[in-house]
Amino acid sequence: MAKRIEASNVTAYYGAFKAIENINITVEPKTVTALIGPSGCGKSTFLRSINRMHEVLPGARVEGSLTIDDQDIYDRDVDVTAVRRMIGMVFQRPNPFPTMSIYENVVAGLRLNGVRKKSILDEAAENSLRSANLWDEVKDRLGKPGAGLSGGQQQRLCIARTIAVEPQVVLMDEPCSALDPISTLAIEDLMFQLKDKFTIIIVTHNMQQAARVSDRTAFFSIEKTGDPGRLIEYDNTQKIFSNPSQKKTEDYITGRFG
Amino acid sequence: MGETPHRSADAGTGGTRVTESHERSAGASARLVEAPVSTRTPGGTGLGGGGALPRARAFGAERGFRGLTLAAGTVVLVIIAAIAVFLVAKAVPAIRADTENFWTFEGWFPNDSEPKFGIGALAFGTVLTAALALLVAVPVALGIALYLSHYAPRRVGTTLGFLIDLLAAVPSVVFGLWGREIFLRPVQDFSVWLNKYFSWIPIFGGEGPFGKSILLGSLVLAIMVLPIITSLSREVFLQTPTANEEAALALGATRWEMLRTAVLPYGRPGIIAAVMLGLGRALGETIALAMTLGITFNISFNLIQNGGNSIAANIANTFGEANETGRGALIASGLVLFAITLIVNITARVIIYRRREFTESAA
Ligand SMILES: Nc1ncnc2c1ncn2[C@@H]1O[C@H](COP(=O)(O)OP(=O)(O)O)[C@@H](O)[C@H]1O
Ligand SMILES: [Mg+2]
């Protein structure tokens, strides 16, 4: 239920603009990896190239190789929808389907996979909502619109929706940046539990959050605007935050804390 | 301070009340009485002002505008009521004079000394042509709209979208002429073919002649409502939040599944509105149907034989030689058409209202 991701020389473009260059990272199963770095350094771009969401934008493309348990996800013969099912994604702003109920939102992915049987859907909905620590709050109003929940609940609903299809990897792009501190803590707690089952990669602006939740941290940066983002340092979170080997990393981390 | 004179003039009108209330209050407000609104302009105590809060003005643009809109609204209601009273007053005597059943009689002879006319066949034709037109137009329109919004390259989508908007501006008489002069031929051939192989289905039966039929009228109507429905649904589809489309894709949806999961449900109220607008146009369409239907007065589901009629087409065709009762009868038919459109619109609103919980949070 969790797989290893290996990125080698990943370079991504928006049209002619090179957003990230030669990213090399290996992410071990059942760990939480945090991507940190200043705005615009390509964290989201890299994250979206892991589940092939980058190429959804017109003119956007990815070079290099990305494997998940040694299977190249950019291989010509690979079905892109299968990749996205295997690698789930939680977005920066909670984005439940506004026309669907809480229940329908959670089982949306299963329905897309052709699951029709009510008993299976019910069970998956309950399990996912429980895993997302949302079940107790919504169990009495599963038929109500998902968009009627609070921001933090909506984000947990989106997490439930993502894990309902039982992916191997869960990508999260600043999942707490639109949330209040209490909801943020709820989601951080959730990440600890989820890493028993999933490989998690999270982009965060919040250094304390990276330090709290992640096992490994990757620091991205850019020289100046217009340059592609690069991976500066990738190491155990403890090491990055206590004794980074790169000057840039240290500047960034101390600058933020100082 | 360019605006000050104008503003204080305004304030003067409501001045009495302002002054009254201020006389009882503390000194700070005395200054306000002299220059009641200057705090709004940069020259005063400043925008975030250190002084006391300015009083709301009794008469200002806000109130004036409210009065104006209220008056306009009232006038419109009065006019509508007057029209309704007038129409009913004309229609009732004509229906009284009808020697046949107004609802079921199949024929229209209101100008005879013993007037005979019935709305049944006309209402039937109106609803049937409009329904058939939508049956053909809606799937095609939604298909084109989805293509333009989510499949076509952006430039192609914009260009084609513009062309379709142009098509919506073509006057209906042009469609009518085109229908009877040009489109009639292929529809005729198609009808003959249908009749040859499918005459065992009653709607394609009959001995002919074929051509100026419900089928022709409905197809012309379909082409007329297609651009409206396409154009509005395209707008609606384009408004789907990217975040929702991406959510569907990230769950492993194909593009079509993404459209079904995120775009179509989100656009549902908009689609219903677009279809209703198309239906409104189809139900009320006059001249194009007057030119393409066979103008008969019987209730028949046969689609391909010469025949068919509609309320609006009948008004256009017979108004010229109508006498007093004849005009009353036509007005009565117009009221029935109004009732039909009203029912259709209310139904649509009920459908949208039922799901409001979901659509409101969508906005
Ligand atoms: N849709 C897009 N089209 C063009 N350029 C983009 C797009 N999204 C992001 N970029 C650019 O790519 C670079 C990296 O962006 P992003 O990955 O969003 O950074 P981060 O998530 O680290 O803030 C930025 O320079 C940004 O302007
Ligand atoms: Mg980002």
Side-chain angles (χ1 to χ4, degrees):
Chain A
M1 277 291 293
K3 290 191 173 172
R4 170 177 212 263
I5 300 168
E6 221 172 320
S8 50
N9 291 326
V10 170
T11 301
Y13 299 84
Y14 293 96
F17 174 65
K18 193 193 273 182
I20 50 174
E21 187 175 62
N22 293 338
I23 308 291
N24 293 290
I25 280 185
T26 303
V27 176
E28 296 300 334
K30 300 191 182 180
T31 58
V32 177
T33 300
L35 311 183
I36 60 169
S39 248
C41 66
K43 307 179 294 290
S44 301
T45 306
F46 177 65
L47 198 72
R48 289 167 60 95
S49 55
I50 300 176
N51 67 341
R52 295 190 61 173
M53 281 299 286
H54 179 67
E55 69 202 45
V56 166
L57 300 167
R61 66 203 160 81
V62 176
E63 284 169 3
S65 109
L66 254 158
T67 61
I68 171 159
D69 273 7
D70 295 327
Q71 205 186 354
D72 184 359
I73 63 161
Y74 278 95
D75 193 282
R76 224 173 251 279
D77 300 329
V78 165
D79 176 6
V80 69
T81 62
V83 171
R84 293 185 191 143
R85 256 162 236 179
M86 203 191 299
I87 309 176
M89 182 164 222
V90 176
F91 295 80
Q92 186 164 357
R93 301 201 150 269
N95 57 356
F97 297 117
T99 55
M100 290 185 194
S101 65
I102 293 171
Y103 176 87
E104 288 299 327
N105 260 291
V106 180
V107 301
L110 291 167
R111 285 207 199 279
L112 285 172
N113 279 310
V115 181
R116 292 278 168 274
K117 234 175 131 194
K118 180 106 172 52
S119 55
I120 299 180
L121 293 176
D122 285 352
E123 198 189 324
E126 177 167 351
N127 287 342
S128 319
L129 284 169
R130 279 192 195 283
S131 309
N133 293 340
L134 191 60
W135 175 252
D136 291 330
E137 289 159 65
V138 301
K139 61 172 186 273
D140 301 322
R141 46 171 173 158
L142 291 174
K144 296 276 175 213
L149 298 172
S150 76
Q153 289 172 325
Q154 283 188 29
Q155 195 62 300
R156 276 178 283 151
L157 176 62
C158 292
I159 293 175
R161 177 178 68 185
T162 304
I163 59 183
V165 291
E166 312 207 322
Q168 313 285 328
V169 180
V170 177
L171 309 175
M172 301 185 175
D173 192 350
E174 299 188 36
C176 305
S177 67
L179 306 182
D180 61 274
I182 306 252
S183 312
T184 301
L185 281 181
I187 291 190
E188 287 181 10
D189 283 345
L190 181 53
M191 271 184 262
F192 275 114
Q193 299 165 21
L194 293 180
K195 87 173 175 179
D196 287 346
K197 290 174 83 180
F198 308 99
T199 306
I200 298 177
I201 304 181
I202 173 178
V203 171
T204 176
H205 251 117
N206 181 328
M207 226 90 58
Q208 289 95 324
Q209 183 171 63
R212 277 195 299 265
V213 301
S214 71
D215 305 300
R216 307 262 293 167
T217 297
F219 173 61
F220 284 63
S221 191
I222 38 174
E223 289 289 318
K224 56 181 187 330
T225 19
D227 282 2
R230 292 199 178 80
L231 177 65
I232 304 298
E233 187 170 356
Y234 177 46
D235 213 325
N236 289 329
T237 299
Q238 270 231 294
K239 171 104 179 2
I240 292 264
F241 283 99
S242 55
N243 182 24
S245 49
Q246 297 289 322
K247 174 95 172 46
K248 275 188 194 160
T249 316
E250 190 174 348
D251 287 349
Y252 182 72
I253 287 164
T254 50
R256 280 304 168 98
F257 281 140
Chain B
M1 294 291 276
E3 272 179 290
T4 313
H6 164 72
R7 281 177 184 254
S8 34
D10 262 358
T13 359
T16 25
R17 228 183 68 205
V18 175
T19 323
E20 270 167 23
S21 54
H22 274 266
E23 266 160 8
R24 268 175 265 118
S25 58
S29 51
R31 204 176 66 226
L32 281 175
V33 180
E34 289 158 24
V37 289
S38 63
T39 35
R40 285 247 179 140
T41 52
T45 32
L47 280 177
L53 289 172
R55 303 283 303 184
R57 273 173 296 153
F59 289 92
E62 179 67 29
R63 290 218 172 188
F65 191 70
R66 195 189 300 167
L68 214 67
T69 46
L70 181 68
T74 318
V75 168
V76 169
L77 282 182
V78 168
I79 292 176
I80 290 177
I83 293 177
V85 168
F86 170 80
L87 291 179
V88 171
K90 287 276 179 189
V92 168
I95 295 179
R96 285 241 175 83
D98 194 352
T99 56
E100 291 284 347
N101 186 319
F102 175 68
W103 301 105
T104 57
F105 180 68
E106 296 180 24
W108 197 263
F109 312 103
N111 304 316
D112 295 0
S113 52
E114 277 193 2
K116 298 184 181 63
F117 55 92
I119 193 71
L122 295 175
F124 174 80
T126 305
V127 174
L128 182 61
T129 45
L132 276 178
L134 286 188
L135 201 68
V136 176
V138 170
V140 179
L142 294 185
I144 299 178
L146 280 178
Y147 171 75
L148 292 180
S149 62
H150 285 84
Y151 285 93
R154 187 163 303 163
R155 207 170 312 149
V156 177
T158 319
T159 318
L160 281 180
F162 177 69
L163 284 180
I164 284 172
D165 286 348
L166 273 189
L167 204 60
V170 175
S172 48
V173 65
V174 174
F175 279 108
L177 277 172
W178 172 79
R180 79 187 277 155
E181 298 303 325
I182 298 166
F183 197 42
L184 176 64
R185 284 294 114 66
V187 172
Q188 216 162 26
D189 297 345
F190 182 53
S191 299
V192 170
W193 181 83
L194 279 174
N195 184 253
K196 192 166 161 196
Y197 295 103
F198 297 98
S199 58
W200 47 273
I201 308 176
I203 55 173
F204 300 133
E207 263 82 61
F210 306 112
K212 290 185 76 178
S213 56
I214 296 270
L215 183 65
L216 177 65
S218 309
L219 287 179
V220 170
L221 265 189
I223 295 169
M224 290 173 67
V225 298
L226 188 80
I228 315 176
I229 302 178
T230 307
S231 166
L232 281 176
S233 342
R234 173 175 164 264
E235 292 296 320
V236 172
F237 293 153
L238 283 175
Q239 276 167 17
T240 316
T242 318
N244 289 319
E245 297 178 3
E246 293 202 330
L249 290 176
L251 282 173
T254 61
R255 194 178 320 207
W256 166 238
E257 287 167 340
M258 181 271 282
L259 293 176
R260 258 187 18 214
T261 316
V263 178
L264 285 176
Y266 183 84
R268 211 178 98 114
I271 297 172
I272 295 176
V275 171
M276 285 305 133
L277 223 78
L279 185 54
R281 178 155 192 203
L283 287 173
E285 179 47 43
T286 309
I287 201 68
L289 283 182
M291 293 166 88
T292 51
L293 289 178
I295 312 301
T296 55
F297 286 92
N298 58 327
I299 296 182
S300 157
F301 276 101
N302 189 304
L303 301 186
I304 57 174
Q305 287 217 78
N306 271 6
N309 208 339
S310 83
I311 295 177
N314 181 55
I315 293 176
N317 280 332
T318 63
F319 194 80
E321 55 259 27
N323 61 20
E324 182 69 25
T325 316
R327 284 196 295 275
L330 290 177
I331 287 173
S333 74
L335 285 174
V336 172
L337 177 57
F338 173 66
I340 295 175
T341 7
L342 204 65
I343 292 170
V344 165
N345 271 307
I346 290 173
T347 316
R349 273 177 197 276
V350 168
I351 297 174
I352 296 176
Y353 186 75
R354 277 230 192 101
R355 302 259 314 167
R356 70 194 176 287
E357 247 191 328
F358 290 87
T359 43
E360 269 166 17
S361 44

